[in-house]
PDB file of all heavy atoms in Angstrom:
ATOM      1  N   LEU A 924      -2.549  13.478 -16.061  1.00  0.00           N
ATOM      2  CA  LEU A 924      -3.078  14.319 -14.996  1.00  0.00           C
ATOM      3  C   LEU A 924      -4.399  14.953 -15.401  1.00  0.00           C
ATOM      4  O   LEU A 924      -5.324  15.057 -14.586  1.00  0.00           O
ATOM      5  CB  LEU A 924      -2.052  15.396 -14.629  1.00  0.00           C
ATOM      6  CG  LEU A 924      -0.777  14.895 -13.956  1.00  0.00           C
ATOM      7  CD1 LEU A 924       0.194  16.050 -13.759  1.00  0.00           C
ATOM      8  CD2 LEU A 924      -1.081  14.216 -12.638  1.00  0.00           C
ATOM      9  N   PHE A 926      -6.550  13.665 -17.539  1.00  0.00           N
ATOM     10  CA  PHE A 926      -7.533  12.582 -17.519  1.00  0.00           C
ATOM     11  C   PHE A 926      -7.984  12.283 -16.101  1.00  0.00           C
ATOM     12  O   PHE A 926      -9.176  12.104 -15.829  1.00  0.00           O
ATOM     13  CB  PHE A 926      -6.939  11.325 -18.152  1.00  0.00           C
ATOM     14  CG  PHE A 926      -7.788  10.085 -17.969  1.00  0.00           C
ATOM     15  CD1 PHE A 926      -8.952   9.899 -18.699  1.00  0.00           C
ATOM     16  CD2 PHE A 926      -7.420   9.121 -17.041  1.00  0.00           C
ATOM     17  CE1 PHE A 926      -9.723   8.767 -18.513  1.00  0.00           C
ATOM     18  CE2 PHE A 926      -8.190   7.998 -16.848  1.00  0.00           C
ATOM     19  CZ  PHE A 926      -9.346   7.815 -17.593  1.00  0.00           C
ATOM     20  N   LEU A 927      -7.012  12.254 -15.140  1.00  0.00           N
ATOM     21  CA  LEU A 927      -7.350  11.969 -13.747  1.00  0.00           C
ATOM     22  C   LEU A 927      -8.243  13.056 -13.177  1.00  0.00           C
ATOM     23  O   LEU A 927      -9.226  12.768 -12.478  1.00  0.00           O
ATOM     24  CB  LEU A 927      -6.072  11.836 -12.921  1.00  0.00           C
ATOM     25  CG  LEU A 927      -6.252  11.483 -11.445  1.00  0.00           C
ATOM     26  CD1 LEU A 927      -6.973  10.158 -11.290  1.00  0.00           C
ATOM     27  CD2 LEU A 927      -4.885  11.429 -10.757  1.00  0.00           C
ATOM     28  N   LEU A 937     -19.631   9.297  -3.900  1.00  0.00           N
ATOM     29  CA  LEU A 937     -20.134   8.093  -3.243  1.00  0.00           C
ATOM     30  C   LEU A 937     -19.311   7.870  -1.996  1.00  0.00           C
ATOM     31  O   LEU A 937     -18.087   7.893  -2.049  1.00  0.00           O
ATOM     32  CB  LEU A 937     -20.012   6.886  -4.191  1.00  0.00           C
ATOM     33  CG  LEU A 937     -20.588   5.573  -3.701  1.00  0.00           C
ATOM     34  CD1 LEU A 937     -22.109   5.620  -3.697  1.00  0.00           C
ATOM     35  CD2 LEU A 937     -20.118   4.436  -4.593  1.00  0.00           C
ATOM     36  N   VAL A 945     -10.490  -7.930  -3.003  1.00  0.00           N
ATOM     37  CA  VAL A 945      -9.489  -8.919  -3.380  1.00  0.00           C
ATOM     38  C   VAL A 945      -8.940  -8.527  -4.741  1.00  0.00           C
ATOM     39  O   VAL A 945      -9.653  -7.961  -5.575  1.00  0.00           O
ATOM     40  CB  VAL A 945     -10.090 -10.347  -3.412  1.00  0.00           C
ATOM     41  CG1 VAL A 945     -11.213 -10.454  -4.438  1.00  0.00           C
ATOM     42  CG2 VAL A 945      -9.013 -11.388  -3.695  1.00  0.00           C
ATOM     43  N   GLY A 946      -7.665  -8.807  -4.964  1.00  0.00           N
ATOM     44  CA  GLY A 946      -7.071  -8.457  -6.245  1.00  0.00           C
ATOM     45  C   GLY A 946      -5.702  -9.076  -6.411  1.00  0.00           C
ATOM     46  O   GLY A 946      -5.238  -9.868  -5.576  1.00  0.00           O
ATOM     47  N   ASN A 957      15.371  -8.043  -4.755  1.00  0.00           N
ATOM     48  CA  ASN A 957      14.227  -8.878  -5.096  1.00  0.00           C
ATOM     49  C   ASN A 957      13.933  -8.848  -6.589  1.00  0.00           C
ATOM     50  O   ASN A 957      14.065  -7.807  -7.241  1.00  0.00           O
ATOM     51  CB  ASN A 957      12.967  -8.403  -4.358  1.00  0.00           C
ATOM     52  CG  ASN A 957      13.096  -8.532  -2.856  1.00  0.00           C
ATOM     53  OD1 ASN A 957      13.692  -9.481  -2.362  1.00  0.00           O
ATOM     54  ND2 ASN A 957      12.556  -7.574  -2.130  1.00  0.00           N
ATOM     55  N   LEU A 989      17.174 -12.210  -5.934  1.00  0.00           N
ATOM     56  CA  LEU A 989      18.055 -12.273  -7.089  1.00  0.00           C
ATOM     57  C   LEU A 989      19.476 -12.676  -6.744  1.00  0.00           C
ATOM     58  O   LEU A 989      20.096 -13.478  -7.447  1.00  0.00           O
ATOM     59  CB  LEU A 989      18.064 -10.912  -7.798  1.00  0.00           C
ATOM     60  CG  LEU A 989      16.735 -10.460  -8.408  1.00  0.00           C
ATOM     61  CD1 LEU A 989      16.884  -9.070  -9.018  1.00  0.00           C
ATOM     62  CD2 LEU A 989      16.265 -11.451  -9.465  1.00  0.00           C
ATOM     63  N   GLY A 992      19.889 -16.332  -6.331  1.00  0.00           N
ATOM     64  CA  GLY A 992      19.335 -17.149  -7.402  1.00  0.00           C
ATOM     65  C   GLY A 992      18.194 -18.027  -6.951  1.00  0.00           C
ATOM     66  O   GLY A 992      18.041 -19.157  -7.427  1.00  0.00           O
ATOM     67  N   ASP A 993      17.378 -17.519  -6.030  1.00  0.00           N
ATOM     68  CA  ASP A 993      16.299 -18.314  -5.444  1.00  0.00           C
ATOM     69  C   ASP A 993      14.977 -17.976  -6.113  1.00  0.00           C
ATOM     70  O   ASP A 993      14.362 -16.952  -5.807  1.00  0.00           O
ATOM     71  CB  ASP A 993      16.213 -18.042  -3.942  1.00  0.00           C
ATOM     72  CG  ASP A 993      15.237 -18.968  -3.244  1.00  0.00           C
ATOM     73  OD1 ASP A 993      14.512 -19.701  -3.942  1.00  0.00           O
ATOM     74  OD2 ASP A 993      15.201 -18.950  -2.011  1.00  0.00           O
ATOM     75  N   HIS A1008      -9.699  11.639  10.402  1.00  0.00           N
ATOM     76  CA  HIS A1008     -10.061  12.637   9.402  1.00  0.00           C
ATOM     77  C   HIS A1008     -10.175  14.017  10.038  1.00  0.00           C
ATOM     78  O   HIS A1008     -10.752  14.170  11.118  1.00  0.00           O
ATOM     79  CB  HIS A1008     -11.379  12.253   8.729  1.00  0.00           C
ATOM     80  CG  HIS A1008     -11.285  10.988   7.919  1.00  0.00           C
ATOM     81  ND1 HIS A1008     -11.093  10.987   6.566  1.00  0.00           N
ATOM     82  CD2 HIS A1008     -11.340   9.688   8.292  1.00  0.00           C
ATOM     83  CE1 HIS A1008     -11.050   9.738   6.130  1.00  0.00           C
ATOM     84  NE2 HIS A1008     -11.193   8.931   7.161  1.00  0.00           N
ATOM     85  N   LEU A1024       0.477  -0.204  12.068  1.00  0.00           N
ATOM     86  CA  LEU A1024       1.533  -1.205  12.170  1.00  0.00           C
ATOM     87  C   LEU A1024       1.688  -1.902  10.825  1.00  0.00           C
ATOM     88  O   LEU A1024       0.698  -2.125  10.105  1.00  0.00           O
ATOM     89  CB  LEU A1024       1.214  -2.245  13.240  1.00  0.00           C
ATOM     90  CG  LEU A1024       1.390  -1.838  14.706  1.00  0.00           C
ATOM     91  CD1 LEU A1024       0.838  -2.942  15.611  1.00  0.00           C
ATOM     92  CD2 LEU A1024       2.859  -1.581  15.026  1.00  0.00           C
ATOM     93  N   SER A1032      15.253 -20.022   0.132  1.00  0.00           N
ATOM     94  CA  SER A1032      15.791 -21.354   0.386  1.00  0.00           C
ATOM     95  C   SER A1032      16.874 -21.324   1.465  1.00  0.00           C
ATOM     96  O   SER A1032      17.220 -22.365   2.019  1.00  0.00           O
ATOM     97  CB  SER A1032      16.379 -21.925  -0.909  1.00  0.00           C
ATOM     98  OG  SER A1032      17.423 -21.082  -1.391  1.00  0.00           O
ATOM     99  N   ALA A1038       9.743  -8.919  10.373  1.00  0.00           N
ATOM    100  CA  ALA A1038       9.884  -7.656  11.098  1.00  0.00           C
ATOM    101  C   ALA A1038       8.527  -6.977  11.202  1.00  0.00           C
ATOM    102  O   ALA A1038       7.651  -7.162  10.344  1.00  0.00           O
ATOM    103  CB  ALA A1038      10.885  -6.735  10.403  1.00  0.00           C
ATOM    104  N   ALA A1045      -0.090  10.693   6.121  1.00  0.00           N
ATOM    105  CA  ALA A1045      -1.142  11.671   5.871  1.00  0.00           C
ATOM    106  C   ALA A1045      -1.634  11.500   4.444  1.00  0.00           C
ATOM    107  O   ALA A1045      -0.955  10.914   3.591  1.00  0.00           O
ATOM    108  CB  ALA A1045      -0.621  13.097   6.089  1.00  0.00           C
ATOM    109  N   TYR A1056      -1.704   9.709  -0.890  1.00  0.00           N
ATOM    110  CA  TYR A1056      -1.229   9.609   0.488  1.00  0.00           C
ATOM    111  C   TYR A1056       0.291   9.510   0.536  1.00  0.00           C
ATOM    112  O   TYR A1056       0.965   9.201  -0.463  1.00  0.00           O
ATOM    113  CB  TYR A1056      -1.832   8.379   1.171  1.00  0.00           C
ATOM    114  CG  TYR A1056      -1.330   7.066   0.587  1.00  0.00           C
ATOM    115  CD1 TYR A1056      -0.197   6.434   1.103  1.00  0.00           C
ATOM    116  CD2 TYR A1056      -1.969   6.481  -0.494  1.00  0.00           C
ATOM    117  CE1 TYR A1056       0.277   5.255   0.573  1.00  0.00           C
ATOM    118  CE2 TYR A1056      -1.502   5.306  -1.047  1.00  0.00           C
ATOM    119  CZ  TYR A1056      -0.375   4.695  -0.512  1.00  0.00           C
ATOM    120  OH  TYR A1056       0.108   3.538  -1.070  1.00  0.00           O
ATOM    121  N   GLU A1074       6.541   5.908   1.516  1.00  0.00           N
ATOM    122  CA  GLU A1074       5.667   5.458   0.428  1.00  0.00           C
ATOM    123  C   GLU A1074       4.781   6.619  -0.032  1.00  0.00           C
ATOM    124  O   GLU A1074       4.151   7.281   0.790  1.00  0.00           O
ATOM    125  CB  GLU A1074       4.799   4.294   0.924  1.00  0.00           C
ATOM    126  CG  GLU A1074       3.841   3.746  -0.107  1.00  0.00           C
ATOM    127  CD  GLU A1074       3.084   2.524   0.399  1.00  0.00           C
ATOM    128  OE1 GLU A1074       3.586   1.845   1.336  1.00  0.00           O
ATOM    129  OE2 GLU A1074       1.994   2.248  -0.122  1.00  0.00           O
ATOM    130  N   TYR A1080     -11.088   3.870  -5.456  1.00  0.00           N
ATOM    131  CA  TYR A1080     -12.291   3.114  -5.082  1.00  0.00           C
ATOM    132  C   TYR A1080     -13.404   3.610  -6.012  1.00  0.00           C
ATOM    133  O   TYR A1080     -14.025   4.633  -5.737  1.00  0.00           O
ATOM    134  CB  TYR A1080     -12.688   3.385  -3.636  1.00  0.00           C
ATOM    135  CG  TYR A1080     -11.652   3.058  -2.587  1.00  0.00           C
ATOM    136  CD1 TYR A1080     -10.602   3.933  -2.339  1.00  0.00           C
ATOM    137  CD2 TYR A1080     -11.742   1.899  -1.815  1.00  0.00           C
ATOM    138  CE1 TYR A1080      -9.657   3.658  -1.361  1.00  0.00           C
ATOM    139  CE2 TYR A1080     -10.811   1.618  -0.837  1.00  0.00           C
ATOM    140  CZ  TYR A1080      -9.769   2.498  -0.609  1.00  0.00           C
ATOM    141  OH  TYR A1080      -8.842   2.228   0.361  1.00  0.00           O
ATOM    142  N   PRO A1082     -17.038   3.111  -8.277  1.00  0.00           N
ATOM    143  CA  PRO A1082     -18.274   2.319  -8.356  1.00  0.00           C
ATOM    144  C   PRO A1082     -18.406   1.626  -9.706  1.00  0.00           C
ATOM    145  O   PRO A1082     -18.006   2.166 -10.741  1.00  0.00           O
ATOM    146  CB  PRO A1082     -19.371   3.370  -8.169  1.00  0.00           C
ATOM    147  CG  PRO A1082     -18.758   4.644  -8.633  1.00  0.00           C
ATOM    148  CD  PRO A1082     -17.314   4.563  -8.253  1.00  0.00           C
ATOM    149  N   LEU A1117       8.481   0.090  -7.114  1.00  0.00           N
ATOM    150  CA  LEU A1117       7.102   0.307  -7.540  1.00  0.00           C
ATOM    151  C   LEU A1117       6.215  -0.816  -7.036  1.00  0.00           C
ATOM    152  O   LEU A1117       6.587  -1.993  -7.110  1.00  0.00           O
ATOM    153  CB  LEU A1117       7.026   0.368  -9.065  1.00  0.00           C
ATOM    154  CG  LEU A1117       5.629   0.454  -9.692  1.00  0.00           C
ATOM    155  CD1 LEU A1117       5.015   1.830  -9.458  1.00  0.00           C
ATOM    156  CD2 LEU A1117       5.691   0.154 -11.189  1.00  0.00           C
TER     157      LEU A1117
END
Side-chain angles (χ1 to χ4, degrees):
L924 292 175
F926 170 75
L927 182 59
L937 184 71
V945 61
N957 296 323
L989 296 177
D993 188 351
H1008 294 262
L1024 284 172
S1032 60
Y1056 67 90
E1074 180 175 337
Y1080 301 80
L1117 174 72

